[in-house]
């Protein structure tokens, strides 16, 4: 007969807790490590500050029966849930334990996640999911599917209220993949992360295509082809360290400002290198990242979707200690032109920054939207409008800087003054116009050029005439379409002062349930 004294009960509790921490099968831990993967608790330990984790429902067990389930009732039911801190700030986390039912989601498993998501929303703190599960627990049937529905509903309710981050550390198939897709950011690790709606076997049966799991839905596929993953890393340790860094840049919820820090990089530091980083010729390529590095604090920034839609760069950085979101055309990729993918990438990033009170800095060097039958047929009009809608809808401080060329509708879309930028600036190398001088002259003076004795000489003269009249650096400033033309070396100091001035910006949207953005 057991010891019913308080001491005996406490000893029993300790044994049960240790069993829950250790898991039911020591060999399962060995198998997890043999795959090059950490356990759920090891991952939580890397994510959170040391000894800060408080677990929720570690003794939860399922109540299902049939298919042998009644004989297998491990503690935690395959998911570790709780909260802790990252750099002293509260963060909620749940981690699938692949050692138990392959991390598959059953009714009790789902209810633990539901409770944690409700707690995170009530507390106004970020939630991080460490995903390593085999999908719905087939033995529990529709109860498992309903569990996913509850997660999706809570993902949507928390969207724009608290930051939601998904870290893919194993398989994620079928409907389970939609929860990460609903969150703000998805992290993936090469060789161990896979996401797909239908697996390789089904794909082969239906389409005849022979593909591996990594070829179908591996980390690099989603980081560079589909755009599902925002960040991709080589190992779990680096990945989780970067999740911590991202959290340090974000507010806990939409009612707070991002955490500010003291910067040793002086706000008035001159950027002499900027005079040489951007070539004068509008057709010459350069890497916009070098400009960002020169402008932001200590040259540090966290790029989002670095390998997808590379013709636009989206990044989180700091200016004088204050977090900003940077959106910049990338002349080193497709000449920085806007296409479907770049528009959608930029739109989602702008929406995120606006949701969480992160000021936007837009660096403009854009020749226009990408022309072509494929772009038109794939919906560049409605999908390109997503970026326009996102900027027009944003109420956070918005500052744009035209570095070089800004042509046509793409100039308007890239947070021009006419769609609501609070401060619009330009370098003296700017060319803000409907189109480049060469193309414009060919249209405006087409007949005159064609009828001239020397068409080529006339064409060159008309190009220069058009450039001097309408494309010179001060045309937009003279008409109030930019607030100032600035010395490139002063860009950092001007941005820092503008961010400080706009810190108290208060802008309300019209009263409505929600907008209807283009899809």
């Amino acid at each position: 007969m057991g010891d019913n004294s308080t001491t005996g009960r406490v000893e029993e509790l300790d044994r049960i807790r240790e069993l829950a921490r250790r898991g039911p099968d020591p060999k399962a831990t060995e198998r997890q490590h043999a795959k090059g993967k950490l356990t759920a608790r090891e991952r939580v330990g890397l994510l959170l500050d040391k000894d800060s984790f408080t677990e929720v429902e570690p003794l939860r067990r399922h109540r299902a029966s049939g298919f042998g389930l009644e004989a297998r009732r491990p503690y935690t039911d395959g998911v570790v849930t709780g909260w802790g801190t990252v750099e002293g700030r509260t963060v909620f986390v749940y981690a699938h334990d692949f050692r138990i039912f392959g991390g598959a989601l059953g009714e009790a498993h789902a209810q633990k996640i539901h409770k944690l998501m409700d707690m995170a929303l009530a507390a106004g703190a970020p939630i991080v999911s460490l995903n390593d599960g085999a999908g719905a627990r087939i033995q529990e049937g529709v109860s498992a599917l309903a569990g996913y529905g509850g997660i999706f509903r809570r993902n949507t309710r928390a969207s724009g209220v608290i930051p939601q981050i998904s870290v893919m550390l194993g398989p994620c198939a079928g409907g389970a993949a939609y929860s990460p897709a609903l969150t703000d950011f998805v992290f993936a690790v090469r060789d161990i992360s896979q996401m797909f709606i239908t697996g390789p076997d089904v794909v082969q049966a239906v389409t005849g295509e022979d593909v591996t799991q990594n070829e179908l839905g591996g980390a690099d596929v989603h980081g560079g082809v589909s755009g599902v993953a925002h960040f991709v890393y080589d190992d779990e340790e680096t990945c989780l360290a970067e999740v911590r860094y991202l959290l340090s840049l974000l507010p806990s919820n939409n009612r707070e400002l991002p955490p500010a820090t003291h910067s040793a990089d002086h706000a008035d530091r001159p950027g002499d290198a900027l005079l040489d980083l951007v070539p004068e010729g509008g057709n010459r390529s350069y890497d916009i990242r070098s400009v960002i590095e020169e402008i932001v604090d200590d040259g540090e920034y966290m790029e989002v979707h670095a390998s997808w839609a590379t013709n636009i760069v989206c990044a989180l950085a700091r200016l004088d200690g204050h977090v900003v979101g940077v959106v910049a055309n990338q002349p080193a990729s497709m000449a920085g032109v806007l296409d479907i993918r770049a528009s959608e990438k930029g739109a989602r990033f702008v929406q995120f920054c606006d949701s969480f009170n992160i000021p936007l800095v837009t660096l403009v060097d854009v020749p226009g939207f990408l022309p072509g039958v494929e772009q038109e047929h794939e919906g560049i009009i409605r999908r390109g409008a997503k970026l326009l809608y996102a900027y027009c809808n944003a109420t956070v401080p918005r500052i744009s800087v035209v570095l070089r060329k800004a042509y046509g509708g793409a100039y308007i879309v890239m947070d021009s003054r006419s769609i609501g930028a609070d401060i619009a600036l330009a370098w003296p190398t700017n060319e803000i116009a409907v189109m480049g001088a060469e193309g414009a002259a060919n249209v405006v003076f087409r007949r005159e050029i064609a009828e001239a004795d020397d068409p080529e000489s006339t064409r060159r003269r008309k190009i220069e005439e058009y450039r001097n009249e309408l494309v010179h650096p001060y045309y937009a400033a003279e008409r109030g379409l930019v607030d100032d033309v600035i010395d490139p070396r002063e860009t950092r100091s001007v941005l820092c002062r503008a961010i400080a001035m706009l810190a108290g910006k208060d802008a309300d949207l019209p009263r409505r349930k929600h907008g209807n953005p283009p899809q």
Side-chain angles (χ1 to χ4, degrees):
M1 189 172 180
D3 184 351
N4 289 324
S5 68
T6 301
T7 300
R9 291 296 191 185
V10 169
E11 290 174 352
E12 180 186 34
L13 173 62
D14 289 340
R15 288 194 297 272
I16 292 174
R17 281 182 167 175
E18 179 58 29
L19 179 59
R21 283 192 292 266
R22 190 174 62 246
D25 181 5
K27 292 184 178 179
T29 301
E30 296 175 9
R31 290 192 294 270
Q32 183 81 345
H33 287 161
K35 296 175 185 177
K37 297 165 64 177
L38 301 175
T39 66
R41 294 182 186 279
E42 289 170 339
R43 290 164 173 166
V44 171
L46 285 174
L47 174 67
L48 300 177
D49 296 337
K50 186 177 180 181
D51 298 327
S52 71
F53 184 54
T54 298
E55 191 166 355
V56 175
E57 293 195 350
L59 307 185
R60 187 70 180 263
R61 299 199 289 179
H62 72 75
R63 297 175 293 179
S65 60
F67 305 101
L69 283 177
E70 62 274 7
R72 299 177 60 201
R73 300 182 63 230
Y75 293 111
T76 74
D77 201 51
V79 62
V80 176
T81 59
W83 77 87
T85 60
V86 172
E87 296 188 4
R89 300 163 65 221
T90 299
V91 172
F92 287 79
V93 59
Y94 68 86
H96 299 131
D97 191 340
F98 197 83
R99 302 173 305 164
I100 298 175
F101 297 124
L105 181 138
E107 184 179 22
H109 182 123
Q111 288 173 350
K112 288 182 64 175
I113 296 175
H114 295 169
K115 175 182 283 189
L116 192 81
M117 296 178 78
D118 291 341
M119 292 173 68
L121 194 57
I127 187 165
V128 179
S129 63
L130 306 180
N131 297 270
D132 185 7
R137 197 173 299 170
I138 298 172
Q139 300 94 319
E140 295 194 33
V142 72
S143 295
L145 293 178
Y148 276 121
I151 293 173
F152 302 157
R153 179 164 56 88
R154 287 168 172 83
N155 283 139
T156 304
R157 187 180 180 195
S159 181
V161 182
I162 56 173
Q164 300 179 83
I165 298 172
S166 299
V167 188
M168 315 312 297
L169 300 169
C172 186
Y178 283 113
S179 177
L182 289 169
T183 60
D184 298 306
F185 295 106
V186 175
F187 286 72
V189 177
R190 292 183 177 90
D191 298 327
I192 67 171
S193 301
Q194 296 95 30
M195 300 173 68
F196 34 71
I197 298 300
T198 52
D201 293 341
V202 176
V203 170
Q204 185 174 40
V206 174
T207 70
E209 297 170 285
D210 187 11
V211 64
T212 66
Q213 287 192 349
N214 276 328
E215 289 170 341
L216 180 63
D220 285 319
V221 168
H222 288 308
V225 180
S226 73
V228 172
H230 300 79
F231 305 98
V232 176
Y233 299 99
D234 290 328
D235 57 80
E236 293 190 42
E237 292 83 357
T238 302
C239 179
L240 292 169
E242 290 299 298
V243 175
R244 286 177 57 89
Y245 179 54
L246 174 60
L247 287 167
S248 75
L249 296 170
L250 305 181
S252 292
N253 55 65
N254 65 344
R255 300 181 303 277
E256 297 181 4
L257 295 175
T261 63
H262 172 72
S263 176
D265 191 355
H266 201 278
D268 290 328
R269 167 177 56 80
D272 294 339
L274 292 173
L275 293 177
D276 301 315
L277 288 176
V278 179
E280 292 182 13
N283 295 326
R284 293 178 61 190
S285 176
Y286 67 95
D287 191 342
I288 194 66
R289 294 184 183 94
S290 60
V291 175
I292 296 172
E293 289 174 6
E294 184 64 26
I295 292 173
V296 302
D297 289 359
D298 303 309
E300 294 181 359
Y301 62 93
M302 188 173 195
E303 186 173 355
V304 178
H305 271 143
S307 299
W308 183 69
T310 54
N311 41 325
I312 196 167
V313 172
C314 299
L316 292 167
R318 292 183 185 274
L319 281 170
D320 197 23
H322 298 281
V323 178
V324 297
V326 179
V327 181
N329 305 113
Q330 173 57 294
S333 176
M334 299 171 60
V337 70
L338 284 178
D339 64 349
I340 287 171
R341 288 186 172 187
S343 298
E344 292 187 332
K345 170 180 170 179
R348 184 75 192 283
F349 183 73
V350 168
Q351 288 171 179
F352 173 82
C353 290
D354 187 48
S355 294
F356 292 102
N357 309 310
I358 299 172
L360 288 161
V361 173
T362 304
L363 304 179
V364 185
D365 190 348
V366 62
F369 280 94
L370 180 65
V373 174
E374 181 181 3
Q375 287 287 304
E376 296 292 349
H377 288 188
E378 290 297 317
I380 184 62
I381 295 173
R382 62 179 174 83
R383 295 164 77 178
K386 292 181 181 182
L387 181 57
L388 175 61
Y389 187 99
Y391 269 125
C392 289
N393 204 48
T395 60
V396 292
R398 292 157 49 189
I399 306 165
S400 65
V401 185
V402 178
L403 308 186
R404 200 168 56 167
K405 55 189 179 295
Y407 296 155
Y411 152 64
I412 300 296
V413 168
M414 290 296 294
D415 206 19
S416 63
R417 186 60 183 270
S418 60
I419 66 168
D422 297 294
I423 300 290
L425 304 167
W427 285 5
T429 49
N430 82 81
E431 292 184 2
I432 303 174
V434 175
M435 63 177 68
E438 292 84 357
N442 289 335
V443 172
V444 175
F445 305 109
R446 180 177 64 252
R447 179 174 295 180
E448 189 174 342
I449 292 172
E451 294 174 352
D453 294 335
D454 186 350
E456 184 57 31
S457 176
T458 302
R459 188 179 72 86
R460 288 196 300 269
R461 188 174 68 255
K462 291 301 182 182
I463 288 173
E464 192 62 26
E465 180 182 330
Y466 185 87
R467 179 177 286 115
N468 291 336
E469 286 292 324
L470 296 176
V471 191
H472 65 79
Y474 306 102
Y475 184 86
E478 291 170 359
R479 286 152 183 81
L481 298 175
V482 297
D483 295 295
D484 198 8
V485 178
I486 63 172
D487 184 333
R489 294 171 293 185
E490 298 174 353
T491 305
R492 171 177 165 81
S493 61
V494 172
L495 288 175
C496 288
R497 289 197 296 272
I499 291 294
M501 179 274 291
L502 291 166
K505 179 183 176 182
D506 183 17
D508 292 325
L509 291 172
R511 182 179 176 87
R512 59 185 174 185
K513 187 174 182 180
H514 55 73
N516 186 24
Q519 297 297 319

